[in-house]
Amino acid sequence: MSGKDRYNAAQTGMDMVVADNLVKVFPSPDGRGKRAVDGLSFRVGPGKIYGLLGPNGAGKTTTLRLMSGLMSPSSGRAILAGHDVSQEPQEVKQVIGFLTSNTGIYLRLSPRELLFYFARLHGLAEDKVASRVAYLIDWLDITDFADLRGGALSTGQKQKTSIARALVGDPPILIMDEPTLGLDVLSNRVILDFIKRERDEGKTIILSTHYLDEAETMCDVIGLLHDGKLVAEGTLEELRTFSGEQRLSNIFLKVIHADVPRLEKRP
Amino acid sequence: MSFQHRIRTIYVKELIDILRDRRTLIAMIVVPIVLYPLLMLGSVQVVSLQSQDLQTEVVTLVTTNKQQMNIIKQWLQVDGQIAKWLRGRVGSSLGNGEAQEAQEDTPFEARVIFGEENDLTEDQIRHAIQSREAQLGVVLSVDNLNDHMTEQWRATLYADPEDIRGAVAARRFSRVLHRRDERLRLDRLDELGLSPAVVAPIVWRQERITTAGSILGLILPLILVLMTITGAIYPAIDLTAGERERGTLETLMVCPVAPIDLVVGKFMVVTTIAIMGAALNLGSVSATVYFGGFEAVIGGGSQDQFPLASLPLILLFLIPFAVLMSAIMMAVCCFARTFKEAQNYVTPVILAVLIPGGIAALPTTRLEGVMLVMPVGNMVLLTREMLVGGSVGFGNIAWVLLSTTLYAASAVAVAAKIFGSEAVVFSDSASLKNSLSRKLSRPTSRPTTSMAMLLASILFPIWFYVQSALQGAEDISAVFMGTAQLMPIFLVAVPAGLCWYFKINLRKTFALKTPALRFLAAASMVGIGGCVIVHEFSILQQRIMPIPEAILATDERLGAALAAMSPWMVLLVLAIVPAFCEELFFRGFLLGGLRGSLGKWTSIAVTALIFSAFHYFVYRLPVTAFLGVVLAFFCWQSRSIWPSVLIHVLHNGLTVGIGLWHDKIPWLHLSSSEVTAHYPLSVAIPGALLFVTGIWLAASGRRTET
């Protein structure tokens, strides 16, 4: 499917991302298994940012790894742009751009070489590779450091390179796992601006974070994740109405408080 | 993007990446280019320093009293207490002994001490040696002194063989005695007017023949093998654990590229670096030896040419070995989360590799028997035989390359499996342990490709060893009986046990379901008609690659033993047991594992190749591989093991039966002297038709299960 077709599919209004009763059980020494993601379902349409919020260990990262085909679900389905992650993992990887604060870049390759490499891995036709890379370098202001080795780049420059890398296949869906974790204000700004721009271009974005104010300003729909389960979901307005609280942090605490006994069990 | 394009993309990127790393360059280029000349020069320096040491070495010789000292000095033909001794030609004047001895020895000096007041006792002399006051003790006694025809001296030498100076002194003193003994003997014979031949009925000399490869041939293969391994280590760690440590592995895994592509691309880079390393090492060693003028030193004194012509061939043979080592290193390093952890894993692997390498490096080990398929060891031996310039048989080369390739393929399969697994992408050390725990294994329907390949690789040398051990049995029927008894254990019980442990569905793994009738009918046709095809195939092959006489003779011996057994026993041992066991293992376990990640024809081809390799008989490799394809094809088509079991029983049974009792089946027109003769057309044409019809029937059969 070419990029254009994907957007056409997106414009027909179908949900680009569907998680359907996703479950991921990790083996645990007691043999019963740990349910890191426990019956998660949500849908995201094109041009929307879906924010997965939750404390550490809530299952955000696992969910995003399941969505991107890095892990296979124990049960349930994840469907991205019409492809089932379990059935067609390679097709899913074609339609997503994946970015985390951990996704590193190659220290001995320049951003330009790195982008060429990933463009080819994404199956871009050889005549399109150079123009796509040139476009991204220009668009993300990489030109100044495009030919330096990765090891010589600053954190912000590395982050820009990572963004370009995630976008190189022109994916209609972006999956970002705490993309701003540990970044300074400037680098943080680069990421957030980029996410908004992509949303405005009609891309579907799933974002996990535990910076609540970030979620407040960025996300169209927010899903609150706790112990692998979605405890509340909606626009910020809906959540405010539902909980009677204004600030997202208070909403979050209130929703979780509904589940006090379990909270106490947590170490 | 095509497979080749993806692999090329990955390969080029990884190669650039690794070659930009200073550590790779140092390990790969600087070390071999600088190290060998330095090592070689260094060792030559040490040797010459040592011989200089020996020139000024003074040995203290202890004897009973002054008289004895004087006699010894007289014998050594020197004045004073310091004896400059043993210069000049040493060796038998009759010519006996090693020709080597006819060289000039290094000068050696001795200081003689003795009992001044009282005679030293034997104990005192012993003590002097033990306390290292002296290196050599000599005690003399004499009968018939001054009767020059019957005077006889007895000398006892005392030396500690562990003390190098003592050992050398004793050896040289013995030579002095030997020389004196012979001179006196010749004098006496002369006086009696007798020819020296009276006391020397046999005169012999030993010539040392050395080839340039001799010492080099012992050391260089091990160096090469080690250097190939060393070359693979760094890139293997960097491209797996290093990638994980730097956080780029996750980045890579979200690309639309299958883990196997990544592993193959990376693994090819590791192999490339390993081969480049081996080539540079080989080049550097050869250049040092060749241009450094060390040929004589290393070649054991011979002036022969260094076998330059073998070098490209050796390098060629090193390729499968580099492939194997790269795959093993990658598989091991895939487990590691960090560079340091990977280094820890690699060390025991190198040690494990050095054991067969070391065994092979022993001068007495030869490239035969189990050494042919011993990983690493066979490569060391093959390289050595090439360097020494001996002719290496085609069969032996085939074994070494074939077994190495099988091990390498398994290691790549395992590496791909590990590399793509969640446990590796997301560093969680517990996951690895969990993956080996039965309690946490989830029931699956078939073994994984890596498990199947791994078991095949492990069983391959073991089964070879079992077969070789059985071949040594006195009673030939014990060979057959032993094989038939051990086959169910190795080929059925072991994989079945593995399936039980990992909760793998036995019925599906071994394809035990009842087949459709058409496949059984087709199998009967192929089993019967196949005999004709295989027979003609063998005749054709005999023309191209004839089986050596010696092997045919063994076959006849086996045939005679079989004829003496009861026909039912023969059928049981040669047709029924192998058919069940081999089908369950190759078409069941192995094919079941391979089909998980390989396509139909690749799975069939790989199964057939491994099946034929397990017969350890190079000359029947094509025939068994052909049969392997037919059997695997039937199992694939029918999704059941039973049609191929039927073919196997029929084929083995008929072949053995015709071979043994063809004189009782006159219409086959095969006389005992020409078992390789063609079948009459009246048999061949229906047979071929039957075979083709059977294949067609199976090929057109729909697979009922999806």
Side-chain angles (χ1 to χ4, degrees), chain B residues 19 41 54 74 105 108 128 149 172 213 303 313 317 463 465 526 545 619 675:
Chain B
L19 285 180
L41 285 174
L54 281 181
Q74 188 195 334
D105 273 299
F108 211 71
M149 286 305 278
R172 293 190 175 188
Q303 299 302 310
L313 212 53
F317 289 160
W463 192 236
Y465 183 71
V526 167
M545 192 170 73
Y619 296 94
V675 186

Side-chain angles (χ1 to χ4, degrees), chain A residues 4-267:
Chain A
K4 226 171 202 168
D5 293 336
R6 281 185 233 137
Y7 285 113
N8 289 343
Q11 280 152 10
T12 59
M14 78 179 203
D15 288 324
M16 288 297 282
V17 174
V18 179
D20 180 15
N21 207 14
L22 274 181
V23 175
K24 178 67 181 178
V25 185
F26 287 118
S28 65
D30 61 13
R32 278 178 301 164
K34 179 186 180 302
R35 296 173 85 86
V37 174
D38 195 359
L40 199 61
S41 302
F42 60 87
R43 285 160 182 272
V44 191
K48 299 280 182 210
I49 299 178
Y50 187 94
L52 269 179
L53 265 69
N56 294 333
K60 302 185 297 284
T61 298
T62 307
T63 306
L64 296 188
R65 285 175 177 169
L66 291 173
M67 303 302 292
S68 56
L70 281 170
M71 284 182 173
S72 50
S74 306
S75 69
R77 293 188 309 165
I79 294 166
L80 289 92
H83 300 292
D84 188 319
V85 170
S86 310
Q87 309 293 324
E88 306 168 288
Q90 299 312 328
E91 283 77 0
V92 167
K93 287 173 185 175
Q94 268 313 337
V95 296
I96 61 168
F98 187 82
L99 185 65
T100 79
S101 54
N102 296 325
T103 37
I105 65 168
Y106 291 106
L107 303 184
R108 295 189 289 264
L109 293 188
S110 69
R112 192 187 304 278
E113 288 168 326
L114 181 127
L115 293 176
F116 266 95
Y117 177 51
F118 281 98
R120 293 196 176 110
L121 285 188
H122 272 88
L124 256 66
E126 204 53 38
D127 53 332
K128 300 251 171 64
V129 169
S131 60
R132 179 69 187 161
V133 170
Y135 170 75
L136 286 170
I137 285 178
D138 180 49
W139 186 55
L140 285 161
D141 263 344
I142 293 176
T143 320
D144 288 346
F145 55 91
D147 296 304
L148 298 179
R149 295 270 171 91
L153 304 183
S154 70
T155 312
Q157 291 171 329
K158 282 182 184 161
Q159 199 57 247
K160 278 186 179 176
T161 310
S162 283
I163 295 171
R165 195 266 310 150
L167 292 178
V168 78
D170 197 12
I173 301 169
L174 289 174
I175 298 180
M176 283 175 282
D177 186 13
E178 312 226 10
T180 56
L181 190 73
L183 291 186
D184 62 23
V185 183
L186 275 177
S187 311
N188 202 2
R189 189 58 174 269
V190 173
I191 297 270
L192 297 181
D193 285 351
F194 143 76
I195 294 173
K196 283 183 187 156
R197 217 151 71 170
E198 289 300 301
R199 188 251 322 264
D200 295 342
E201 297 225 331
K203 300 209 170 176
T204 309
I205 295 165
I206 311 176
L207 177 77
S208 92
T209 180
H210 61 243
Y211 297 133
L212 299 177
D213 50 343
E214 200 173 289
E216 244 175 52
T217 56
M218 301 280 300
C219 299
D220 299 303
V221 184
I222 293 168
L224 298 181
L225 203 60
H226 185 58
D227 268 358
K229 292 192 176 79
L230 208 56
V231 286
E233 185 191 53
T235 62
L236 193 54
E237 277 315 307
E238 287 168 345
L239 290 178
R240 281 177 178 151
T241 319
F242 167 73
S243 64
E245 296 283 347
Q246 280 302 305
R247 302 275 307 165
L248 189 53
S249 47
N250 292 339
I251 298 173
F252 192 78
L253 286 173
K254 188 145 189 180
V255 172
I256 291 179
H257 263 278
D259 217 355
V260 171
R262 280 179 47 201
L263 196 67
E264 281 176 346
K265 251 194 266 169
R266 291 171 64 83

Side-chain angles (χ1 to χ4, degrees), chain B residues 51-52 54-55 85-87 103-108 172:
Chain B
S51 51
Q52 270 176 6
L54 281 181
Q55 280 182 15
W85 143 45
L86 295 185
R87 210 180 245 293
Q103 285 178 352
E104 187 160 304
D105 273 299
T106 336
F108 211 71
R172 293 190 175 188

Side-chain angles (χ1 to χ4, degrees), chain B residues 439-591:
Chain B
K439 211 163 64 181
L440 297 179
S441 318
R442 276 198 285 166
T444 45
S445 54
R446 289 199 181 83
T448 58
T449 308
S450 49
M451 189 190 288
M453 286 298 282
L454 199 60
L455 184 61
S457 294
I458 293 170
L459 283 182
F460 184 67
I462 294 179
W463 192 236
F464 185 89
Y465 183 71
V466 167
Q467 299 251 298
S468 328
L470 285 172
Q471 298 287 337
E474 282 288 308
D475 179 10
I476 300 175
S477 61
V479 178
F480 299 115
M481 299 306 290
T483 308
Q485 282 161 8
L486 291 173
M487 227 180 216
I489 296 175
F490 285 106
L491 297 189
V492 182
V494 171
L498 215 57
C499 288
W500 168 82
Y501 184 84
F502 288 109
K503 300 181 189 160
I504 302 166
N505 188 319
L506 275 176
R507 200 177 138 80
K508 281 206 169 136
T509 299
F510 290 115
L512 297 178
K513 80 173 201 121
T514 320
L517 259 181
R518 71 182 296 150
F519 289 111
L520 289 178
S524 318
M525 294 180 189
V526 167
I528 295 167
C531 287
V532 175
I533 307 283
V534 168
H535 185 81
E536 295 299 317
F537 200 119
S538 306
I539 293 173
L540 183 71
Q541 194 200 310
Q542 182 70 14
R543 291 226 181 105
I544 302 164
M545 192 170 73
I547 300 175
E549 288 294 327
I551 296 177
L552 287 178
T554 318
D555 277 6
E556 266 173 40
R557 217 163 56 98
L558 295 178
L562 282 177
M565 289 163 71
S566 117
W568 295 114
M569 193 50 101
V570 171
L571 280 185
L572 180 73
V573 164
L574 285 185
I576 295 170
V577 171
F580 276 84
C581 296
E582 291 180 351
E583 288 316 307
L584 285 172
F585 182 70
F586 294 104
R587 261 61 66 178
F589 190 82
L590 187 60
L591 186 64

